Amino acid sequence: MSLLDNREPEPAGGAPAALLDPMLPRRFRIGHTRQDTRDTYTLELEPVDGAPLAYLAGQFTMLDAFGVGEAPISISGNPLVPGPLEHTIRDVGVVTHALITAPAGAVLGVRGPFGTPWDVSDAAGGDVVFVAGGIGLAPLRGAILELIAQRDRFERVVLLYGVRTPEDILFGDELRTWAKDNGIVVEVTVDNAQHAWRGRVGLVTQLVPRAGFDARRTTAFVCGPEVMMRYVASALVDRGVRENRIRLSMERNMKCGVGLCGHCQLRELFVCVDGPVLSYDRLAPLLSCR
Ligand SMILES: Cc1cc2nc3c(=O)[nH]c(=O)nc-3n(C[C@H](O)[C@H](O)[C@H](O)COP(=O)(O)OP(=O)(O)OC[C@H]3O[C@@H](n4cnc5c(N)ncnc54)[C@H](O)[C@@H]3O)c2cc1C
Ligand code: FES
């Protein structure tokens, strides 16, 4: 038995306790782990009790590697399609390493889903710009797939994606499909190019001024390192996108995930319940004074 199998089963009869108490994890079994890049992996999780987890694109869960610790991780799957619960995780430390190295069949704890969604439907009727930096494409993936499922409700759709090197590009096959079959203009740029890279080199912010969208009718969804999001939001505002039409997904250290502990506080906001997706008109004054 794995270290990750060491929890008591759900109580028999009635609603599982984990559904009633957001601090109690539900048990999910790792079905498959796919390596996406040298340090990033996608876990497919199956509920041990058979009840799928309903969620909205942009929400996150607290993933518990039992005996090691918990980490907030966005759900990267398609919220409209039943199937395994997907999380795409970069191996940066103790918990994330335990999660991505846990063997198939191991049991993890899942709390949530928590937080605010992207709400991509709210952008229907206008242009949409997704801007992702690095692992930030993973939290946006569900919103992109949701948009594709109702593609004709949106006008121009652009995805601007920046990564450190060509080897760090996530979901490469899907990027090609989105561009070829789903009417999305996909522009990828890398910070450092070596090998046979023939694409763009430079920061993702540099793509914003000349990307093809009508700023006055655009909703933007931005996810990546905080400094990148600040510059991207500022570039979008300079292009004429309204602050209340720009949504950013914020990251803060989290413990409870449900507004109890204060670890994720950003001035008057608790990022776990007021976010992680927040509009730039709310965030701009908080980010500029940090
Ligand atoms: C709402 C939300 C959604 C997230 N979604 C994803 C996701 O989809 N995929 C993914 O790979 N990661 C995601 N993260 C980041 C992830 O939670 C952290 O990488 C993880 O908690 C690190 O834990 P660790 O024990 O592996 O690393 P640690 O050993 O704790 O730290 C390793 C390094 O990561 C830094 N770090 C620790 N916690 C965080 C944090 N919360 N945010 C940023 N840096 C941190 C530390 O400063 C240190 O440099 C998300 C975070 C939040 C708040
Ligand atoms: S993580 Fe505890 S209040 Fe947000």
Side-chain angles (χ1 to χ4, degrees), residues 71-74 88-90 92-96 251-254:
I73 303 288
S74 298
T88 301
I89 303 172
R90 192 149 80 92
V92 296
V94 179
V95 176
T96 48
E251 283 196 10
R252 282 293 178 277
N253 283 327
M254 291 185 183

Side-chain angles (χ1 to χ4, degrees), residues 158-287:
V158 177
L159 167 61
L160 310 177
Y161 180 33
V163 286
R164 282 172 299 172
T165 73
E167 290 74 34
D168 297 308
I169 295 173
L170 270 180
F171 313 137
D173 290 344
E174 278 185 290
L175 292 174
R176 281 182 281 277
T177 304
W178 296 343
K180 187 165 163 287
D181 301 334
N182 302 127
I184 299 181
V185 176
V186 177
E187 297 218 36
V188 180
T189 184
V190 303
D191 297 345
N192 302 301
Q194 293 168 345
H195 314 299
W197 177 251
R198 292 203 176 81
R200 295 180 194 286
V201 179
L203 299 176
V204 71
T205 27
Q206 293 165 349
L207 301 179
V208 173
R210 52 188 178 67
F213 59 87
D214 179 352
R216 292 161 304 170
R217 53 200 309 249
T218 287
T219 307
F221 301 89
V222 185
C223 191
E226 192 164 313
V227 64
M228 164 259 173
M229 291 199 291
R230 286 165 61 181
Y231 280 107
V232 165
S234 174
L236 288 164
V237 170
D238 288 348
R239 260 296 290 268
V241 182
R242 283 175 289 153
E243 290 193 353
N244 66 355
R245 302 307 300 173
I246 301 171
R247 292 181 198 155
L248 316 179
S249 184
M250 297 300 294
E251 283 196 10
R252 282 293 178 277
N253 283 327
M254 291 185 183
K255 287 282 179 227
C256 70
V258 291
L260 296 175
C261 71
H263 272 81
C264 65
Q265 196 161 0
L266 176 62
R267 297 268 292 277
E268 70 270 22
L269 300 178
F270 281 2
V271 173
C272 65
V273 289
D274 298 314
V277 177
L278 287 150
S279 66
Y280 188 54
D281 56 334
R282 278 185 92 184
L283 278 171
L286 308 183
L287 294 179

